[in-house]
Amino acid sequence: MTKNSHDTALITGASSGIGEMAVRLDPSDPEAHAVMGTSLGVKGDFVRAKAEFDTALRLAPGRSGNPDLLYCWASTFGEPERGAELVDQVMQLDPHFPKWASGQFS
């Protein structure tokens, strides 16, 4: 294991533990579910990651951070059209959203 892959493994493990703890402490917190979705996605557990992002969006559909995180993963989940829709939503919610961040959908 190289130093970089070892560091990535440590960070991924730590974020997974933090996400799990956050969801356990407050299952109604959309940010906790978004963090959990990110950590599961990094680990390659795309089915559970998508479920966590869907939960985050269901809990707070108008919060810019949730679709902001999900649009990055939408293509990985086989939903590029949904990713493009979420980029549009994020751009409407946040007028300072950097246009370069949506490059994969332009």
Side-chain angles (χ1 to χ4, degrees):
M1 188 179 261
T2 67
K3 180 181 183 329
N4 286 341
S5 63
H6 183 264
D7 291 347
T8 301
L10 288 173
I11 291 167
T12 302
S15 66
S16 175
I18 291 168
E20 289 172 7
M21 182 185 300
V23 169
R24 212 174 27 251
L25 289 171
D26 186 358
S28 66
D29 180 2
E31 295 298 325
H33 288 280
V35 168
M36 186 67 178
T38 299
S39 100
L40 289 167
V42 168
K43 291 164 107 175
D45 190 344
F46 301 130
V47 172
R48 287 181 54 210
K50 182 181 178 309
E52 291 295 333
F53 282 119
D54 287 341
T55 299
L57 286 170
R58 181 177 44 78
L59 291 171
R63 187 181 280 175
S64 67
N66 297 326
D68 203 16
L69 287 171
L70 179 54
Y71 87 79
C72 297
W73 288 95
S75 291
T76 303
F77 302 148
E79 300 178 347
E81 296 85 9
R82 185 177 185 201
E85 290 169 8
L86 290 166
V87 166
D88 288 342
Q89 181 182 345
V90 169
M91 290 171 71
Q92 290 174 4
L93 291 170
D94 181 1
H96 303 293
F97 179 75
K99 305 275 188 279
W100 60 263
S102 63
Q104 66 190 15
F105 298 104
S106 46

